[in-house]
Amino acid sequence: MGISIRSVGAYVPSYVETNHDLARQINTSDEWIRSRTGIAQRYIIAPDQSTTDLAYGAARAALEAAGRPDIDLLVVATATPDRSVPATAPRVADRLGISGIPAFDVAAVCSGFVYAMAVTEALMRTLARSRALVVGADAFSRILGPDDRSTRAIFGDGAGAFLLVADPDSEEVLLGRDLGSDGSGHDLITRPSSGSASVIDHLAGLQPYFAMSGKAVFMQSVRAMVQSSENALKDAGRTASDVDLLVPHQANLRIINAVADGLSIPVARAAVNIDRVGNTVAASIPLAVHDALRAGKLRAGQTVLMTAFGGGLTWGSLVLSWPDNVAH
Ligand code: UT7
């Protein structure tokens, strides 16, 4: 039995916030944001929407592209669930008109989609599931400090989804995997005062806004993504020179360039959409894949390397052989 990809779906909210819009609200400029991050605009969730709406939009797009097959497993990667209790996935399943199936969230922040793909693949085998939706969805605009220019410049909202299918005729798509974490850096990317440590955080005077030590994270993220990519390529029996398309987490264009450089992969072989969507956290990789498919940059038979790094700290990479006829 092989596990393949049948379709890819994407959803972004309708409101576009440009760098110029941001510069009218906080002390920043289009020039600073473009030159330091490569971002020109990002999408922001509507006041009456939540992460469930984003995840539902991407899941429905993937299902419709594939002709609405029955689903028997749903996994949502998110760090911004609608509420800390319950998870987002059961509600997304309900919105899709599905009940009774296993549905749960994976929390690995920007590495969430890579983790969710690896978890879903394994569960499809052990639970004998034949059609699974893996969704990456985040609404970081909801947790950013209104005056925090270093995070408001970067993060945007959105969701992406893959429909995985398992059947005896499918070629194996996932060739190599690598996942890792280092909890000693848990406070470098964090949202204090939002969980069971709220009382402790409150006593320490921490605000309930997302906080990132950007500089400290920058170099670690490059090193971790290069090392993790090499581990996944080794697991797949491939080398970086075999990679036709690198799909890096879209955190910062300078990080994307440094990862490509560290792997000696020409940057022309990297999927880049950060200019349009910003850093969409768990949605970043599936949204970049969706854009690459639409641009004709991702074709059957190509070797694809996905790599991500984020809060936790966490990192993960996947090597795939891109299948035929992926609908989008
Ligand atoms: O996605 C998960 C993992 N996350 C990452 O990988 C993010 C990695 N980090 C980064 O992408 C970058 O560190 C940032 C884009 C967040 C920041 O860029 P930087 O080049 O590292 O800037 P910095 O934090 O060292 O700040 C340099 C200066 C500071 O001013 P002072 O203290 O030198 O006067 C900041 O206050 O730039 C200032 N600054 C800004 N200025 C204008 C920070 N954000 C802005 C802004 N507009 N939006």
Side-chain angles (χ1 to χ4, degrees):
M1 184 190 73
I3 294 180
S4 187
I5 301 168
R6 173 70 52 80
S7 64
V8 175
Y11 178 86
V12 288
S14 56
Y15 179 67
V16 176
E17 183 180 70
T18 67
N19 293 346
H20 296 288
D21 294 330
L22 256 188
R24 279 190 285 274
Q25 301 167 42
I26 52 174
N27 183 16
T28 189
S29 66
D30 177 56
E31 199 282 326
W32 192 96
I33 301 172
R34 272 181 203 267
S35 63
R36 305 304 293 170
T37 71
I39 297 166
Q41 62 168 51
R42 74 281 303 138
Y43 295 87
I44 303 293
I45 196 168
D48 61 351
Q49 286 185 309
S50 68
T51 296
T52 289
D53 298 294
L54 304 178
Y56 168 74
R60 199 182 64 169
L63 277 179
E64 280 177 1
R68 291 206 142 265
D70 288 339
I71 296 301
D72 50 21
L73 173 63
L74 175 77
V75 180
V76 175
T78 186
T80 47
D82 289 3
R83 301 189 173 116
S84 61
V85 179
T88 305
R91 192 168 173 208
V92 175
D94 182 56
R95 285 275 299 278
L96 292 167
I98 313 164
S99 68
I101 65 166
F104 60 95
D105 291 1
V106 166
V109 200
C110 294
S111 314
F113 189 77
V114 170
Y115 266 72
M117 283 283 287
V119 166
T120 305
E121 180 206 12
L123 261 190
M124 287 177 82
R125 295 190 203 284
T126 55
L127 294 181
R129 300 288 147 162
S130 54
R131 281 176 295 272
L133 273 171
V134 188
V135 185
D138 267 304
F140 258 53
S141 70
R142 283 286 156 77
I143 63 169
L144 303 180
D147 303 320
D148 185 353
R149 62 182 180 172
S150 68
T151 57
R152 283 198 61 195
I154 299 173
F155 291 95
D157 304 331
F162 282 16
L163 173 53
L164 302 186
V165 290
D167 67 58
D169 302 328
S170 288
E171 291 282 320
E172 207 65 76
V173 157
L174 278 161
L175 307 178
R177 310 133 187 92
D178 178 68
L179 301 175
S181 74
D182 174 9
S184 70
H186 70 276
D187 57 355
L188 295 177
I189 301 173
T190 183
R191 186 194 177 194
S193 301
S194 60
S196 66
S198 294
V199 177
I200 305 162
D201 289 345
H202 185 70
L203 289 173
L206 298 176
Q207 294 293 312
Y209 297 124
F210 176 78
M212 180 171 71
S213 304
K215 259 217 166 6
V217 166
F218 196 103
M219 287 316 297
Q220 288 194 59
S221 89
V222 175
R223 266 197 308 273
M225 283 196 275
V226 169
Q227 184 61 58
S228 175
S229 294
E230 283 169 353
N231 294 347
L233 284 164
K234 193 169 170 211
D235 188 43
R238 307 279 166 113
T239 67
S241 59
D242 297 320
V243 174
D244 299 300
L245 189 71
L246 169 66
V247 187
H249 168 50
Q250 311 281 306
N252 185 320
L253 187 58
R254 291 185 292 144
I255 293 176
I256 293 172
N257 290 338
V259 169
D261 198 45
L263 290 165
S264 301
I265 295 174
V267 82
R269 278 194 223 150
V272 178
N273 69 348
I274 190 170
D275 51 324
R276 191 173 66 83
V277 299
N279 180 345
T280 55
V281 192
S284 170
I285 284 184
L287 281 178
V289 165
H290 190 262
D291 275 1
L293 277 172
R294 284 202 341 189
K297 219 178 157 174
L298 181 47
R299 294 180 296 278
Q302 288 183 329
T303 297
V304 178
L305 168 62
M306 301 175 178
T307 187
F309 175 89
L313 302 167
T314 57
W315 53 85
S317 303
L318 300 172
V319 177
L320 304 90
S321 174
W322 197 255
D324 281 332
N325 301 321
V326 178
H328 60 277

